[in-house]
Amino acid sequence: MPSHAFNELVVPSNHPPTTTITTLFSNTPDMSHTTSTTSTHLEIMHLKNVQIRNNQIRHISSNAFHLMNSVSEIALSSNQVEHIARAAFNLVNHAAEKRLTIKLDSNRLTAASFEAGFIELNDATSLELDLSHNAIEALKEAVFKPLLAKNVLIDLTGNPIVCHGADTAWLFKAESSQLLHKLKGVSC
């Protein structure tokens, strides 16, 4: 198999429409990016659980996860993710009655890893975002304030959050302080 074989994550189009779980676990070190291509969009709409753990993914591209209207969990735990592009998780058409969990724990994420709008949700979707056990030292306002304005809980357990740093100070202003209860694992 060529070394570039896992540069792009593509869900096979030959699975039956009743398939609800896709798992990719411990693949080759060359699996460095996740993207989604137009040819797979119809095939992924019915997936409920996507497990892409213990791989070597470093970058999640724009629209890597979109049109997954029925998904309840996307697990990218224990990879090497360092960057997440704008609209990587484009889930604006997600079924409103579904609770959604995105697991990005145990990666290489820092405050600089997230582009603004890396997760796009409709207002009715409830999201639990697991960012635990990374190297996130701050939450940039332009990235996280719009996300926290929605029905979102973020687990930051095991991160070296600097509570009084310039990039985190916005959380302690009167108009934003009510957002602190949406953050797990942050004690300042």
Side-chain angles (χ1 to χ4, degrees):
M1 187 173 287
S3 65
H4 65 288
F6 291 103
N7 284 343
E8 182 173 66
L9 173 65
V10 178
V11 178
S13 61
N14 59 348
H15 66 76
T18 56
T19 300
T20 59
I21 299 175
T22 293
T23 301
L24 296 174
F25 185 78
S26 297
N27 283 292
T28 69
D30 292 326
M31 189 175 178
S32 60
H33 286 70
T34 64
T35 59
S36 181
T37 61
T38 306
S39 64
T40 64
H41 294 319
L42 293 176
E43 292 84 19
I44 66 175
M45 289 180 69
H46 300 292
L47 290 177
K48 305 268 188 256
N49 191 315
V50 179
Q51 303 285 326
I52 309 171
R53 298 174 301 174
N54 296 332
N55 291 286
Q56 303 296 313
I57 299 167
R58 290 185 293 264
H59 176 85
I60 304 174
S61 302
S62 292
N63 294 315
F65 296 93
H66 85 113
L67 294 181
M68 292 187 171
N69 301 343
S70 300
V71 71
S72 59
E73 180 175 286
I74 300 171
L76 292 155
S77 306
S78 301
N79 280 288
Q80 295 181 15
V81 178
E82 297 173 339
H83 180 259
I84 304 175
R86 178 178 187 80
F89 299 93
N90 184 349
L91 301 164
V92 293
N93 293 317
H94 187 263
E97 71 279 0
K98 301 236 181 233
R99 180 167 186 80
L100 175 61
T101 301
I102 298 175
K103 295 182 178 183
L104 289 160
D105 57 300
S106 303
N107 279 287
R108 294 182 179 175
L109 297 169
T110 67
S113 297
F114 306 92
E115 288 186 18
F118 76 101
I119 295 178
E120 294 182 356
L121 291 174
N122 60 50
D123 289 334
T125 297
S126 174
L127 171 66
E128 183 177 326
L129 177 60
D130 185 351
L131 298 176
S132 64
H133 306 290
N134 281 288
I136 302 167
E137 64 281 358
L139 299 177
K140 293 186 177 184
E141 184 174 11
V143 174
F144 286 96
K145 189 173 184 178
L147 191 57
L148 287 168
K150 297 183 180 282
N151 190 8
V152 174
L153 297 173
I154 302 175
D155 185 354
L156 292 161
T157 304
N159 283 285
I161 300 289
V162 178
C163 294
H164 303 292
D167 283 331
T168 309
W170 66 272
L171 281 167
F172 301 99
K173 293 179 182 173
E175 68 273 6
S176 298
S177 63
Q178 77 278 6
L179 301 177
L180 286 172
H181 76 279
K182 295 182 168 196
L183 302 175
K184 178 181 174 186
V186 175
S187 58
C188 296

